[in-house]
Amino acid sequence: MEVKSAKGVKAWLEITKKAPIPILKASAKLLTGQIKAGASLAKMAVTIERDPALCLHLFLAANKKSRAHNKSSEVEILSLNHVITILGMQGIVDCVKKAPQIKLHKSDAYQKAYLQAQASSHFGGQLMDHWVKVNHVGSAEKLKWATILAGAPRWILWREAYVQMRKYEWLIEHDFQPTQKVEKKVFGCKLDDILCVLGRKLMLPNLAQSVLEQKQLPSVAQWGKLISPKYLDFIDAETKLKRLKSSSTTLMAVVLHLAQQLPLGWMTAKSLRAQTALSHLVGQNLAAVVQQNHQLAVAVSHHGLAGQTLSPATSLLWPTKAINQKPWLRVPMLCLMPQAEKAQSGKVTSKPMSVSLKDMPPPRAPDRKLLICLLYTSPSPRDR
């Protein structure tokens, strides 16, 4: 469950290439039951969407089958109707049975981090669906699923490298160390490079992979221009920046970044900066964008995994006491694993310590007279 220290993209790829991406056992049972009962596509979509790992397995299987039948085709499957058409109901059931499954465990820190990363991707998909419909930059359904799938490499890292990811967040968000310095110290390379290579290894759809490819995104200087109050002047003066501003990949990158920052709070500088960029991309004022994001966060939070993940509205509805207090930030440390996972990892649990009672005196017999005396001499409730 926890990897040793690794440095460099190749080392991380070698460690995580065989990492399982388990789905929730409850989701598998519910979806299988819905298929057998002949449930509508809308109900099945809700079940699949609430478990991003299940989304990943189904979409990857459908795309793999599509490429096998027609190798020359460049059509990607990023709609649920298309997935069902390619796999069929029996194919979906078989895919669910093959996928590794996990039960919810309240005290498993690794599982919570894994599910929290998925919850962020799910909310990113909801944000993308909303803003694509507002901005008219492409197919809302395809971009929603692509946004959800693009978070898969981060799920793997939170599950397989829990301590490293905690340390990465802690050093940046708590100790305020430079991001590049922390990435070099913790991962031995840029985190974005690891995510990009993992996405390629998973064979994510091109639309989902595009948001992980840094060459297809604005540079640091261009991001600065996009969030500047004078962004319209910069866009008019630079043709490439104008093209990036209208690109669905740029919008997806902003939305996914915002969703991943929300466990740390809505009012952090990074969250506010992402919403400023979002307001410039969709052509609305910041107040309107923030209001719509907050309303969507509350709506999505009604259907989240209560007790397992922080909902998008956590820091919105219950403000933190201190300015720098972040709901998700934790001190990086090794955590205890559940007994089932300890057995799987081959760790030997410590035997209970036996205590010899040979030299200990026997327990004293109760003094009946003393107990009766205390009972009758204790003050009554009225006397108190």
Side-chain angles (χ1 to χ4, degrees):
M1 198 70 164
E2 184 58 46
V3 302
K4 296 180 180 179
S5 179
K7 301 294 181 182
V9 176
K10 291 184 179 179
W12 281 105
L13 180 62
E14 187 66 24
I15 289 171
T16 57
K17 66 180 182 181
K18 295 183 179 180
I21 306 179
I23 65 176
L24 293 175
K25 191 169 185 179
S27 299
K29 185 177 180 180
L30 179 59
L31 181 61
T32 304
Q34 287 176 338
I35 292 174
K36 291 180 179 179
S40 65
L41 180 62
K43 289 185 177 179
M44 291 171 57
V46 172
T47 303
I48 294 172
E49 190 176 332
R50 289 185 64 186
D51 190 341
L54 179 58
C55 298
L56 180 68
H57 284 284
L58 292 178
F59 277 93
L60 290 183
N63 278 282
K64 183 178 180 180
K65 187 174 182 180
S66 178
R67 287 193 298 269
H69 284 293
N70 191 358
K71 296 181 180 180
S72 61
S73 177
E74 296 183 357
V75 177
E76 290 188 322
I77 300 171
L78 279 171
S79 70
L80 194 56
N81 281 329
H82 206 171
V83 168
I84 294 175
T85 302
I86 295 294
L87 295 179
M89 293 300 180
Q90 186 58 45
I92 293 176
V93 173
D94 293 340
C95 184
V96 170
K97 289 181 178 179
K98 291 178 183 177
Q101 299 179 15
I102 55 172
K103 290 183 179 181
L104 292 177
H105 198 290
K106 292 182 179 180
S107 59
D108 188 347
Y110 297 89
Q111 186 187 97
K112 286 189 176 183
Y114 173 67
L115 295 177
Q116 185 64 56
Q118 292 187 25
S120 297
S121 297
H122 172 257
F123 183 61
Q126 298 300 316
L127 283 172
M128 194 66 187
D129 181 64
H130 172 78
W131 288 113
V132 167
K133 292 176 181 177
V134 171
N135 208 35
H136 307 290
V137 292
S139 169
E141 184 182 11
K142 287 184 177 181
L143 288 168
K144 178 186 74 173
W145 292 115
T147 304
I148 293 174
L149 299 181
R154 197 173 287 266
W155 313 340
I156 295 175
L157 285 181
W158 270 111
R159 179 175 167 81
E160 300 297 323
Y162 174 83
V163 173
Q164 285 85 348
M165 292 297 285
R166 280 288 184 208
K167 187 176 181 181
Y168 167 77
E169 276 195 346
W170 183 263
L171 293 176
I172 293 176
E173 303 295 339
H174 184 269
D175 293 349
F176 302 106
Q177 294 188 20
T179 302
Q180 291 183 353
K181 180 182 177 181
V182 172
E183 288 178 339
K184 188 70 176 177
K185 180 179 180 180
V186 177
F187 302 109
C189 58
K190 290 184 177 180
L191 178 59
D192 288 336
D193 292 341
I194 300 175
L195 298 176
C196 180
V197 172
L198 285 178
R200 294 175 186 173
K201 186 66 179 179
L202 289 172
M203 299 184 70
L204 295 177
N206 291 333
L207 190 57
Q209 182 65 27
S210 65
V211 77
L212 302 176
E213 301 285 346
Q214 294 302 307
K215 293 181 180 179
Q216 299 188 36
L217 298 174
S219 63
V220 176
Q222 289 171 332
W223 279 121
K225 293 177 181 179
L226 284 174
I227 64 175
S228 170
K230 298 181 179 180
Y231 73 100
L232 291 176
D233 295 335
F234 290 122
I235 289 173
D236 291 338
E238 189 176 340
T239 306
K240 186 178 180 181
L241 190 62
K242 184 183 294 185
R243 185 171 65 253
L244 287 169
K245 189 255 182 187
S246 58
S247 171
S248 59
T249 301
T250 305
L251 180 61
M252 185 161 36
V254 172
V255 164
L256 194 58
H257 175 69
L258 173 60
Q260 290 165 354
Q261 291 300 315
L262 292 187
L264 300 175
W266 275 94
M267 300 308 294
T268 62
K270 291 181 181 179
S271 297
L272 294 173
R273 194 182 303 128
Q275 292 188 89
T276 300
L278 182 58
S279 69
H280 292 170
L281 291 177
V282 300
Q284 294 190 21
N285 64 70
L286 181 58
V289 169
V290 170
Q291 182 182 16
Q292 292 175 69
N293 286 341
H294 289 182
Q295 291 173 348
L296 190 60
V298 174
V300 172
S301 298
H302 285 303
H303 307 288
L305 289 173
Q308 296 295 327
T309 61
L310 291 173
S311 66
T314 297
S315 64
L316 177 65
L317 299 180
W318 300 280
T320 51
K321 295 180 181 179
I323 295 176
N324 288 330
Q325 184 180 349
K326 298 177 175 66
W328 180 245
L329 203 59
R330 299 288 187 276
V331 179
M333 63 177 66
L334 285 170
C335 298
L336 296 175
M337 290 191 296
Q339 294 297 328
E341 294 186 3
K342 282 185 178 180
Q344 291 175 4
S345 61
K347 292 184 179 180
V348 180
T349 56
S350 58
K351 295 182 179 180
M353 184 176 62
S354 59
V355 179
S356 176
L357 302 178
K358 185 177 181 181
D359 300 327
M360 295 182 65
R364 188 180 62 179
D367 191 335
R368 185 184 180 94
K369 293 182 179 180
L370 177 61
L371 291 176
I372 294 175
C373 181
L374 291 173
L375 179 63
Y376 284 100
T377 57
S378 60
S380 64
R382 291 182 181 179
D383 296 335
R384 293 175 189 171

